Amino acid sequence: MNSTSDEIKDDYNFISEALIDIYDQIMRIEESEIRKSRFKDITAKELHLIHTIGLHDRKTTSEVSRVLKLSKGTLTANLNNLEKKGYIIRMINQQDRRIINLGLTSKGRLLYRAHYAFHRQLVESCLKEFDGSDIRKMRQALVNVEKFIDEVSSK
Amino acid sequence: MNSTSDEIKDDYNFISEALIDIYDQIMRIEESEIRKSRFKDITAKELHLIHTIGLHDRKTTSEVSRVLKLSKGTLTANLNNLEKKGYIIRMINQQDRRIINLGLTSKGRLLYRAHYAFHRQLVESCLKEFDGSDIRKMRQALVNVEKFIDEVSSK
DNA sequence: TAAAATAGTTTGAAATTCAAACTATTTTGG
DNA sequence: CCAAAATAGTTTGAATTTCAAACTATTTTA
């Protein structure tokens, strides 16, 4: 297919606008879907934190606060909430007892998987009409976004 | 190109993970880029509000609070801040004097355009290696995301 | 034209965030 | 070896953000 540079500009505009609006909607819908399930006490932010803690990584509090760009104090408060609600556990690291390793409880792992499944469903439903080569290109476009973000952050 | 169903699954996983992580990073980088410019007093949330108010729409407070899913009280507080900082103006609607129409000041319009330009730059930089037909497909994928969100929200 | 409805603001309470001070532990270097 | 410095995480107090409910002003309804 041939495209004029005007058509491409128009697509760029459309894609820019769509991107600006979509983030927020996805966050909101994630939260509202999760709240319809058995996990009624979870906010979008907590979902994000659960995802960052991950299934098997045993990350430390410092690592997580660095990744999420939250102060250590804020993270401590968030972890207290999730611990009270039974989603995470703190494990004192026996090699270095200053360090707390974070893990998900079985309830936390269920939530992690439900969240992930929802995302997968979104991706599958939106890409099902495309073939393998198209999907590879979409993947590359996302890699490019990450590259762009890295370049801008480090300049 | 042929792709096995395993390769496609792997791409889906990659795309899911990338999507989950990317939102947050874009929000943050948007804020930090804007703060490097003359707009040092603006947060990511305020940027989002400025974008929603838009260049020429004269939206009402209620419309904006519905779109952003903020309570009317919260929006009033946010608008007070942006008004104090000189980015927006409130205009009493002369047909119905209960209604406030919102507009951007010239400073607000400058900020709107700077924000939009940054997004355009991101999109252009990430899509420059693709041809018109590829870009049309990416656009379609975003339309699908919006469709998916609408379906899930309305069910 | 009085009552109901609507648009937006104010209010007070709860939640979230941050930076700085603090506690506990480990590492460093004299 | 041990005191000082560094590090990991928590606590604290203040600032900010958010919400729902009560409120004010205006318009619509019946």
Side-chain angles (χ1 to χ4, degrees), chain B residues 95-149:
Chain B
Q95 274 67 55
D96 180 344
R97 301 206 336 281
R98 291 170 301 183
I99 294 176
I100 303 279
N101 289 111
L102 299 171
L104 300 182
T105 61
S106 59
K107 188 177 171 191
R109 289 194 297 273
L110 277 176
L111 173 57
Y112 181 100
R113 294 203 182 88
H115 174 222
Y116 189 74
F118 177 74
H119 260 276
R120 263 302 290 261
Q121 200 190 330
L122 183 153
V123 169
E124 282 178 31
S125 139
C126 297
L127 297 184
K128 59 176 183 285
E129 72 205 62
F130 299 106
D131 67 22
S133 137
D134 291 338
I135 286 170
R136 189 52 54 94
K137 284 172 184 164
M138 312 256 176
R139 177 176 170 157
Q140 184 56 45
L142 285 176
V143 171
N144 291 351
V145 174
E146 288 174 346
K147 230 186 302 173
F148 180 89
I149 290 171

Side-chain angles (χ1 to χ4, degrees), chain A residues 138-149:
Chain A
M138 311 255 176
R139 177 175 170 159
Q140 185 56 45
L142 285 175
V143 172
N144 291 351
V145 174
E146 288 174 346
K147 229 186 304 173
F148 180 89
I149 291 171

Side-chain angles (χ1 to χ4, degrees), chain B residues 62 72 76 90 98 100:
Chain B
S62 296
K72 295 192 300 175
T76 294
R90 289 170 156 112
R98 291 170 301 183
I100 303 279

